[in-house]
Amino acid sequence: MRLKSRHLLGIESLTPEEIVLILDTAESFEEISRREIKKVPTLRGRTVVNLFMEPSTRTRTSFELAEKRLSADSLNFSASASSLVKGETLIDTARNIEAMAPDFIVMRHQMSGAPHFLARYCRSSIINAGDGSHEHPTQALLDAYTIRQKKKRIDGLRVAIVGDILHSRVVRSNVFLLRKLGADVVLGGPPTLMPLEIERLGVTVSHRMEEALDGADVIMMLRIQMERQGAGYFPSVREYYNLFGLTEERVRLAKDDAIIMHPGPINRGVEIESKVADGAYSVILDQVTNGVAVRMAVLYLLAGEAEDADPSEERPGR
Amino acid sequence: MDEATIDRTLTRIAHEILEKHKGTEGLVLVGIRSRGVPLARRLAEKIRKIEGKDVPVGILDINLYRDDLTTIADHPILRKTEIPFSVDGARVVLVDDVLFTGRTIRAAMDGIIDLGRPMQIQLAVLVDRGHRELPIRADYVGKNVSTSLDEKVRVSLREEDGADSVDIVPKEAR
C-alpha cells in the first residue's frame, strides 16, 4: 500500500484508504517523540526545502521538527528573506530551488494552486503547507488524527466547524477529509463569511451558533482573521463574539463528551472564551503535538518512489 | 519443520537462554516484526514455565532503520515499536524467524541502541539459512538450513498464518 501521488497537494485527491494509511503510519511515529533520543535515521541524506511565502510559526516549526526527527537536512526560505520581494517570479524561484535538487519542497503560499503549479515544474515531492484559501492537507490530517485518538472513530461523528469559513483553507481540507471518512459536518458562521454553494461539498450550513453546536461530538473553531477586518464582514468583534464566540454556556449544547479543537493561533475573547480554550475538553495542544507525528508519516510515505501520477490531474478548485 | 519440531526447538532455545544467563536477571526479549513477535512471546511463556519468572517482551519495527529505503519503491507499512521498559543495562535477546543477510539484525541493533544502552544484545532465530552480507551471527539457532539464493524460507506461525511450519520453497512462490 502506498500513496498514488508523490506529492501531497490536497485532501481532495486522496482516497479514504490513503487517508487511513497516513493516520495509521502517524500512530507508529508517535512513540519516537516520547523517546529520550527523538531521532531515527530514515531520511538521512534527503533534503527538504521549507518554502514559506506567508508567515507561519506553528506549521513551519512542526514540519521542521518532523524533518529533523527523521534525520533529513532542511533549509528554510521565507517571504521576507526570499528573492520574491526582489521581484522574482514563482517559476524562477522554483527553478532555482530545483537546481539545488531537494527531495521535498514544503510550500506555504498566499495564492490557491501555487503548490500545484510548482508540482508541474519540479522533480521534487511537493507538500502543500497551505495555499491561499484552498487546502491545508496536513492540518486536516492532524485534526482527523486527534479526533480518532480521542473518539476512537470518525465515521458517524457530528463535527461542527464555526467561524470564518470563507477564507479558511483548513475548513476545505477538513470537509473533504471528514466527508470521505463518513462524518457529518455542520458549518456555522455569519452569512458574509460563508461561501456560496458550500453545501455542494456535502455539508449542512447554519447561521445560528446554537443550531450548529447542537449534539456535536467535535467543535472546531476557526480564527477570525483580524487582518481582514477592514473588509467589513461583520460590524464589530464584540458583536461577533456575542453571536458566534464559543462560551462555556454554548459548549453545553454539544454532547457531554464533545472535544474542542482550534487550528491556532487562537484569539481569546474573539472566537473562543479563555475558559473554554483552557478547559478539560480542549484538545488544542494535542493537535500541535500530533502535528509532528502526522508530518513525519507524510514525509515517510512520500519518500517511497511512487510512480508519477499525471500532475495535470491534480489541478485545484472545481 | 512441523509444529511439534518448532515447539521442541523453542523449548531448547528457552533452556539455552536461561543456561547462558544463569536465570532471568535483567533479561528482556525483543521480537522483530512481524514473525519475531509471536516467537518472542512463545519463548517468554516457556521461560515462565521453566523458571516461574516473567520476562518482559518488546516489539521492534525496523523499517525506519533499513538501509534500502531509498531503493525500494513501495515503502513498507510502518507499524508500532512497543518497548515499554528501559533497555539501559538490560540483556536484550532479539528474536526473529529467519537469519539471512544480517541486514535486518543490523537495523534492529541500531533501533535498540537508539532507545538506550543495553549491557548486551544477543540474537535468537528459528532458522539460519546462511548467505550473510554482514559480520553477524546468532547466539541461539533453531536449525541451520543450507539454501540456495533462488530459494525462500517460508515460516508460518499460527498467530500470524494459522498454522506452524517451516518450508523451503522456490523464490517465486508465496
Side-chain angles (χ1 to χ4, degrees), chain B residues 1 6 8 34 43 46 50 52 63 71-72 75 85 91 106 129 131 145 158 164 166:
Chain B
M1 290 170 94
I6 292 174
R8 280 193 289 270
S34 55
L43 281 174
K46 290 197 181 293
I50 301 163
N63 282 319
T71 52
I72 43 180
H75 266 195
F85 44 79
R91 299 167 186 274
R106 195 279 308 159
R129 63 168 293 191
H131 303 291
V145 182
R158 64 172 181 274
D164 282 357
V166 178

Side-chain angles (χ1 to χ4, degrees), chain A residues 179-243:
Chain A
R179 293 299 299 144
K180 279 175 203 272
L181 295 191
D184 289 320
V185 182
V186 188
L187 302 181
T192 47
L193 290 174
M194 191 68 69
L196 285 177
E197 305 208 37
I198 186 96
E199 294 90 343
R200 284 201 190 187
L201 298 180
V203 298
T204 322
V205 169
S206 171
H207 301 304
R208 279 187 56 240
M209 190 66 170
E210 287 67 24
E211 192 179 88
L213 296 185
D214 184 40
D217 296 286
V218 177
I219 305 172
M220 202 180 283
M221 297 304 293
L222 299 172
R223 183 172 74 95
I224 283 302
Q225 309 190 3
M226 302 301 276
E227 58 272 26
R228 300 192 209 266
Q229 269 312 289
Y233 290 107
F234 48 84
S236 72
V237 166
R238 192 80 215 137
E239 183 182 308
Y240 182 85
Y241 181 73
N242 285 338
L243 289 173

Side-chain angles (χ1 to χ4, degrees), chain A:
Chain A
M1 174 83 201
R2 64 176 173 206
L3 302 179
K4 282 196 298 285
S5 170
R6 67 192 168 96
H7 307 294
L8 178 67
L9 300 177
I11 299 293
E12 195 179 3
S13 53
L14 295 180
T15 63
E17 293 73 31
E18 288 179 306
I19 294 168
V20 171
L21 173 69
I22 297 172
L23 300 183
D24 287 349
T25 306
E27 248 174 51
S28 307
F29 277 111
E30 219 189 285
E31 162 257 343
I32 293 166
S33 299
R34 288 194 299 264
R35 291 183 187 179
E36 206 168 309
I37 301 169
K38 301 173 182 59
K39 206 175 179 81
V40 290
T42 315
L43 294 186
R44 212 173 43 184
R46 306 282 188 108
T47 312
V48 188
V49 170
N50 297 313
L51 187 60
F52 278 73
M53 303 299 193
E54 222 183 37
S56 158
T57 312
R58 209 172 330 264
T59 305
R60 206 199 65 228
T61 47
S62 177
F63 265 110
E64 267 187 68
L65 210 50
E67 291 152 12
K68 287 185 196 323
R69 288 190 179 163
L70 288 170
S71 305
D73 297 314
S74 55
L75 50 132
N76 297 318
F77 282 75
S78 59
S80 52
S82 84
S83 37
L84 272 197
V85 292
K86 299 176 192 159
E88 192 176 59
T89 63
L90 180 57
I91 185 73
D92 285 329
T93 306
R95 282 190 179 133
N96 276 284
I97 291 172
E98 178 71 12
M100 294 182 256
D103 299 282
F104 296 95
I105 300 176
V106 177
M107 188 194 205
R108 156 74 56 97
H109 201 279
Q110 63 277 15
M111 298 302 286
S112 302
H116 306 68
F117 176 76
L118 215 59
R120 285 200 288 278
Y121 288 95
C122 289
R123 280 184 300 273
S124 320
S125 284
I126 313 287
I127 300 174
N128 183 358
D131 61 326
S133 52
H134 177 227
E135 282 228 47
H136 190 351
T138 55
Q139 177 71 42
L141 288 164
L142 74 89
D143 289 342
Y145 185 89
T146 308
I147 295 174
R148 210 173 69 155
Q149 185 182 50
K150 304 293 172 193
K151 296 283 172 197
K152 311 295 171 216
R153 68 189 169 111
I154 289 177
D155 184 40
L157 292 181
R158 186 178 161 89
V159 182
I161 310 180
V162 181
D164 182 354
I165 309 290
L166 185 63
H167 298 107
S168 177
R169 51 193 168 219
V170 175
V171 163
R172 252 161 290 266
S173 288
N174 260 303
V175 167
F176 289 133
L177 191 154
L178 292 168
R179 293 299 299 144
K180 279 175 203 272
L181 295 191
D184 289 320
V185 182
V186 188
L187 302 181
T192 47
L193 290 174
M194 191 68 69
L196 285 177
E197 305 208 37
I198 186 96
E199 294 90 343
R200 284 201 190 187
L201 298 180
V203 298
T204 322
V205 169
S206 171
H207 301 304
R208 279 187 56 240
M209 190 66 170
E210 287 67 24
E211 192 179 88
L213 296 185
D214 184 40
D217 296 286
V218 177
I219 305 172
M220 202 180 283
M221 297 304 293
L222 299 172
R223 183 172 74 95
I224 283 302
Q225 309 190 3
M226 302 301 276
E227 58 272 26
R228 300 192 209 266
Q229 269 312 289
Y233 290 107
F234 48 84
S236 72
V237 166
R238 192 80 215 137
E239 183 182 308
Y240 182 85
Y241 181 73
N242 285 338
L243 289 173
F244 294 100
L246 188 64
T247 56
E248 243 180 1
E249 199 180 319
R250 285 184 173 140
V251 169
R252 283 190 211 109
L253 298 166
K255 292 223 176 99
D256 289 343
D257 60 350
I259 54 171
I260 317 284
M261 306 177 73
H262 194 304
I266 61 174
N267 288 320
R268 291 173 187 269
V270 179
E271 70 265 354
I272 190 164
E273 188 183 11
S274 261
K275 263 195 288 186
V276 174
D278 304 328
Y281 29 65
S282 161
V283 299
I284 296 173
L285 294 176
D286 298 82
Q287 289 173 270
V288 180
T289 307
N290 293 337
V292 178
V294 166
R295 290 174 175 121
M296 285 171 83
V298 168
L299 287 162
Y300 170 78
L301 290 167
L302 291 179
E305 314 230 320
E307 276 161 42
D308 200 359
D310 180 6
S312 61
E313 286 168 17
E314 291 171 357
R315 283 176 212 276
R318 211 160 305 167

